[in-house]
Amino acid sequence: MAFNQKVTVAGDATYKISNQIKKYTLGDLGFVTNNAGVYILHRALEPEKSLANSIQLKISVNQDLTGFKLSTVSAGDVVRVDIFKNNHADDMVRLYHFFIDELLARGVLEKVTYD
């Protein structure tokens, strides 16, 4: 999957990478860099389980900070999961929005509004 400037999350909203994004902010938020220079963040959406065993929010930002990927994935990063249709949706959606709101507040992402 290619990096995009805008990503639409089914059941939620469309987000775009902010012009204000900074590498040090990604580090402050817990992003780690892989061998290709991509910044990756995994956050558990089921706090009662370990990160390796829970549904996760996964965000990847390319090395030049011009594109990103955003998805919710199953344990082990195997399959995309629609948390908005899950049996335990309320808690997962609340936690998902907590993480997204922090990315919005710190200038990593922006919410796209259509006029």
Side-chain angles (χ1 to χ4, degrees):
M1 184 166 99
F3 289 95
N4 300 302
Q5 289 186 334
K6 292 181 184 177
V7 173
T8 301
V9 178
D12 185 25
T14 300
Y15 299 96
K16 69 177 184 174
I17 197 142
S18 173
N19 294 331
Q20 308 301 315
I21 191 171
K22 303 286 186 228
K23 290 182 180 182
Y24 63 82
T25 303
L26 296 178
D28 288 349
L29 291 171
F31 282 80
V32 294
T33 308
N34 69 8
N35 292 342
V38 175
Y39 297 90
I40 299 174
L41 178 72
H42 286 270
R43 289 289 181 247
L45 296 178
E46 297 175 293
E48 67 279 359
K49 298 180 181 178
S50 69
L51 179 63
N53 296 321
S54 73
I55 293 173
Q56 304 168 26
L57 170 64
K58 180 181 179 184
I59 302 169
S60 303
V61 179
N62 64 3
Q63 60 186 346
D64 58 359
L65 308 181
T66 59
F68 76 110
K69 301 175 192 178
L70 186 150
S71 59
T72 50
V73 294
S74 65
D77 198 8
V78 178
V79 176
R80 285 183 174 218
V81 175
D82 185 350
I83 63 168
F84 298 95
K85 293 182 181 176
N86 190 290
N87 294 339
H88 307 289
D90 292 342
D91 292 336
M92 281 193 279
V93 168
R94 192 173 311 119
L95 198 49
Y96 163 86
H97 283 293
F98 174 80
F99 294 131
I100 293 294
D101 288 346
E102 185 170 19
L103 294 168
L104 293 169
R106 296 289 301 272
V108 174
L109 299 178
E110 295 176 10
K111 193 177 245 184
V112 175
T113 56
Y114 296 101
D115 296 329

